[in-house]
Amino acid sequence: MEKITLGIIGAGRIGKLHAANLAANRNVRIKTISEVKIDPKLNDWADSLGIENVTEDFNEILNDTEIDAVLICSSTNTHVSMIIQAAEAGKHIFCEKPISLDYCESSQALDAAQKAEVKLQIGFNRRFDHNFKRVREAIMEGNIGDIHIVKITSRDPAPPSKEYIQASGGLFLDMAIHDFDMARYLTGSEVVEVCAKGAVLVDPVFSQMGDIDTAIITLKFANGALGVIDNSRKAVYGYDQRVELFGSEGCVSISNDFENNAEWSTSDGVFRDKPKLFFLERYNDAYIDEMNQFVESLLNNMDVLVSGNDGLQAELIAGAAKKSLDENRTVLLSELKATLK
Ligand SMILES: NC(=O)c1ccc[n+]([C@@H]2O[C@H](COP(=O)([O-])OP(=O)(O)OC[C@H]3O[C@@H](n4cnc5c(N)ncnc54)[C@H](O)[C@@H]3O)[C@@H](O)[C@H]2O)c1
């Protein structure tokens, strides 16, 4: 393949972002975007990026023999059937996280992609972030030694809308799933035990949706390491994304990214601007790299950098966290894996 021809399903927040980033890649032609809510503004936007067609029916993408690969950026509850249909149509697939709201269904989607021998990359963009990549390098180079403790802080600046919460699958599947993936990615070890505590401290709307807005999740890894993740849907000072890994030979940590590194000191204290606002700002470069790497793996027939199995493993951890919260006990990952056929 000299140039990759793509179709994109879903022109919401993330679909539009990926489309804009891919439009800047000279190895890519975006032929079609499908969106159930088409308006004139969407057509103008697509024109401005050189996208050739806008359609309400994603089957137009799947039936188009010129299209090599499809990006699934629609709401989570649509992903599984789209992956299965895209695989059957022989398209390579990039699918946003989470693969689905039910890990058994996600597993079926992975089977379909494997059977069709198409590539399937999952949207764990943080793996492409310069800070997290450097932490992983330090670990892989042995600078930290054997990992003993993983600490991840992941807090959003503000909660999403009620409609979004309702369809999101809950805090563990929608939000903490990035942290579960990061924990596996940085330690290079699978999670074997999960214990989660949750609370509604930000907005009672989360209770009405049967969800939580605050969580502490402890993890035990196959290599013996222990982990702790804390999540909040509202950090008043901005997007808070930090990790620390402590091991037998040392410690590595990253703090937040800022728009600038200006710091001023007065008689009242030492001050600086808040961290970058949210995921679109903090991970802008990571999203670009994520798309470019997906295209590279198609052009050069290489493995994708975030596999379908990575998506499934993170969903299993999310499922274990939910079960732990609901049943007020530590849950073994093997309990969930036993329910996969
Ligand atoms: N990796 C990340 O950082 C990240 C960030 C945000 C969202 N996401 C994920 O991306 C997905 C979309 O999230 P979003 O925030 O962009 O949501 P969104 O609601 O802004 O966009 C989803 C779009 O898909 C469209 N859609 C739904 N069904 C469709 C269909 N059958 N055909 C075509 N279009 C359809 C909707 O009309 C909507 O415009 C979710 O799975 C979410 O979890 C990932």
Side-chain angles (χ1 to χ4, degrees), residues 29-329:
R29 167 191 178 206
I30 310 176
K31 186 169 176 193
T32 306
I33 189 155
S34 82
E35 169 56 55
V36 285
K37 292 183 242 152
I38 296 183
D39 60 22
K41 266 171 45 187
L42 185 71
N43 285 310
D44 291 347
W45 166 84
D47 274 351
S48 74
L49 293 182
I51 299 173
E52 297 164 35
N53 308 303
V54 178
T55 174
E56 282 181 353
D57 182 6
F58 70 90
N59 287 300
E60 271 186 44
I61 293 174
L62 303 187
N63 294 332
D64 186 335
T65 52
E66 278 190 0
I67 291 182
D68 305 304
V70 59
L71 263 67
I72 301 174
C73 302
S74 43
S75 342
T76 301
N77 59 352
T78 65
H79 293 178
V80 165
S81 60
M82 287 175 182
I83 291 176
I84 294 173
Q85 289 179 69
E88 285 169 357
K91 310 293 182 208
H92 298 296
I93 303 159
F94 173 92
C95 181
E96 265 307 338
K97 55 51 63 176
I99 304 171
S100 82
L101 302 177
D102 174 340
Y103 57 82
C104 292
E105 288 184 9
S106 299
S107 174
Q108 287 162 13
L110 263 58
D111 289 347
Q114 195 179 20
K115 188 167 161 222
E117 296 183 9
V118 296
K119 296 185 196 303
L120 171 60
Q121 179 169 332
I122 306 301
F124 287 134
N125 55 294
R126 291 184 196 174
R127 289 190 183 213
F128 301 86
D129 173 72
H130 62 133
N131 288 321
F132 290 116
K133 280 202 305 205
R134 187 65 189 91
V135 170
R136 176 158 156 109
E137 272 167 31
I139 293 162
M140 292 299 136
E141 287 160 5
N143 295 331
I144 314 306
D146 297 332
I147 295 169
H148 294 176
I149 298 173
V150 183
K151 284 167 75 177
I152 300 179
T153 289
S154 180
R155 304 174 190 149
D156 287 352
S161 67
K162 194 173 169 180
E163 294 69 39
Y164 184 92
I165 299 164
Q166 203 155 23
S168 70
L171 181 143
F172 299 125
L173 256 182
D174 179 55
M175 180 181 174
I177 195 153
H178 281 290
D179 309 308
F180 300 142
D181 179 63
M182 191 46 60
R184 291 181 64 244
Y185 172 68
L186 294 179
T187 58
S189 184
E190 294 300 345
V191 170
V192 292
E193 278 180 31
V194 179
C195 183
K197 298 287 171 202
V200 176
L201 304 173
V202 172
D203 189 331
V205 76
F206 284 95
S207 302
Q208 292 159 22
M209 303 284 124
D211 200 354
I212 52 171
D213 55 36
T214 307
I216 301 276
I217 307 144
T218 56
L219 307 170
K220 187 170 178 187
F221 295 84
N223 66 4
L226 300 177
V228 60
I229 296 170
D230 77 85
N231 297 119
S232 170
R233 287 286 195 183
K234 186 175 178 186
V236 291
Y237 49 85
Y239 198 33
D240 193 2
Q241 301 275 289
R242 292 172 280 142
V243 303
E244 180 186 276
L245 277 93
F246 168 82
S248 57
E249 304 298 322
C251 184
V252 55
S253 64
I254 55 164
S255 185
N256 288 311
D257 257 5
F258 294 83
E259 294 295 344
N260 62 66
N261 64 13
E263 195 179 87
W264 54 101
S265 308
T266 72
S267 56
D268 292 329
V270 180
F271 305 92
R272 65 171 309 163
D273 287 328
K274 293 200 279 192
K276 287 185 179 174
L277 180 68
F278 205 1
F279 63 93
L280 295 178
E281 291 79 12
R282 163 74 190 256
Y283 293 121
N284 182 47
D285 291 346
Y287 286 118
I288 294 170
D289 199 30
E290 177 184 46
M291 281 302 112
N292 290 343
Q293 294 288 338
F294 177 61
V295 171
E296 278 300 301
S297 51
L298 299 185
L299 282 170
N300 301 312
N301 194 19
M302 297 177 326
D303 287 344
V304 293
L305 294 181
V306 189
S307 69
N309 183 54
D310 291 322
L312 177 62
Q313 295 306 320
E315 279 178 38
L316 284 164
I317 304 169
K322 179 80 173 78
K323 199 172 176 59
S324 169
L325 180 68
D326 290 348
E327 298 178 10
N328 195 23
R329 67 177 179 95

